[in-house]
Amino acid sequence: MAAAMTEPASTPAPIAPLDGMAGGLRAALMLLTRLPAGTHLSPGALRWGSGWFPVVGAIVGGITAALLTLLAGPLPPAMAAFVVIIVSLLVTGALHEDGLADTADALGGARDRDSIFVILKDSRHGTYGVAALVTALGLRAAALATTVDFPAAIVIAAIVSRTTLTALLVALPYVTPDDVARSRTVVHARVPQLILALAFTAAAFALALARGWLTPLGTGVVVGAGVLVATVAGWRFSARAGGITGDFLGATQQVVELASLCALVALGGR
């Protein structure tokens, strides 16, 4: 009887290192978009989700770029840009925009660490959040209107911005309370997930360079902008809250994407 009680029958089987890697794309799509990706995921697939974040960026950026190219003829660039933003919000469920607004409210209005989490859990947006949203959406519309003839910029910016999320998950502790965390398995990214994300990103840059969509100068500027913004954001999140949350990640995606687009616009699309 005692021997039976000590049998490890209830102990979960360990997950193989590469188990669920392919399913990670579905996990990433389910977490970052409203695109249909099924319902059931294995623990291994969830664990690999963060490694596929750049691919989700390529998908969302590709949809955005294709639609902008299609609409830029019959519509003025500015109007086409706003229509594209509406569609992109539907595709992602405005997930990152909500994170940006919550982060602006929390970091702008909280006096201490505990207050930050109280504000982050509040579904209402205050002055800081609304101001951040209006500024970000307006700047994105302006940037998109000037990249009608440079669709690769949209895709690259979307990829880089989501790669930084994986990097932050590896570099900093995830401090969202368990009762509000969407997926503890996905956010527990490790070096293998970061390597996968960086491999996808490097492949995207290599393709853009080979096809002449991007120059070495443009590549360096975009990478530099992404690393700089993500580093500063991560430092700020760590100093104020001790780590990152889902809202902080959403805010980082928005700011890095805008920085990347603005950098490419400043280079004249090179």
Side-chain angles (χ1 to χ4, degrees):
M1 181 70 70
M5 291 178 63
T6 58
E7 290 181 0
S10 60
T11 302
I15 301 174
L18 299 182
D19 180 45
M21 180 187 286
L25 177 57
R26 289 179 54 224
L29 285 169
M30 289 175 63
L31 184 68
L32 300 184
T33 75
R34 295 295 177 84
L35 297 174
T39 55
H40 177 71
L41 291 171
S42 68
L46 286 170
R47 189 187 62 176
W48 278 101
S50 59
W52 290 84
F53 283 178
V55 179
V56 174
I59 293 171
V60 175
I63 293 172
T64 301
L67 184 59
L68 182 63
T69 301
L70 180 65
L71 296 177
L75 295 177
M79 186 178 295
F82 274 104
V83 173
V84 166
I85 288 175
I86 293 173
V87 173
S88 70
L89 293 176
L90 293 174
V91 170
T92 63
L95 177 69
H96 306 305
E97 288 78 7
D98 180 66
L100 174 65
D102 286 342
T103 298
D105 280 332
L107 297 187
R111 296 182 178 180
D112 52 41
R113 185 176 185 272
D114 291 338
S115 298
I116 287 176
F117 292 105
V118 171
I119 295 175
L120 288 176
K121 290 167 63 175
D122 192 339
S123 61
R124 298 168 296 179
H125 293 316
T127 302
Y128 291 110
V130 172
L133 274 179
V134 171
T135 302
L137 291 174
L139 186 56
R140 190 193 309 176
L144 290 177
T146 60
T147 56
V148 171
D149 298 323
F150 188 28
I154 301 171
V155 181
I156 288 295
I159 292 173
V160 171
S161 64
R162 287 162 177 84
T163 304
T164 60
L165 306 189
T166 309
L168 287 180
L169 284 170
V170 173
L172 298 174
Y174 192 74
V175 294
T176 298
D178 289 335
D179 59 337
V180 294
R182 293 188 63 185
S183 178
R184 279 285 176 185
T185 307
V186 173
V187 299
H188 283 173
R190 296 293 183 266
V191 173
Q193 284 78 15
L194 179 59
I195 292 174
L196 180 62
L198 291 175
F200 285 136
T201 305
F205 274 111
L207 176 62
L209 286 167
R211 297 299 298 270
W213 297 334
L214 201 62
T215 65
L217 175 61
T219 299
V221 169
V222 170
V223 171
V227 171
L228 176 61
V229 172
T231 300
V232 172
W235 164 76
R236 189 59 176 165
F237 300 151
S238 182
R240 291 296 307 276
I244 53 173
T245 70
D247 287 322
F248 291 169
L249 291 175
T252 302
Q253 187 280 323
Q254 288 285 285
V255 178
V256 171
E257 185 172 61
L258 286 173
S260 300
L261 282 173
C262 290
L264 289 173
V265 169
L267 288 173
R270 293 178 294 173

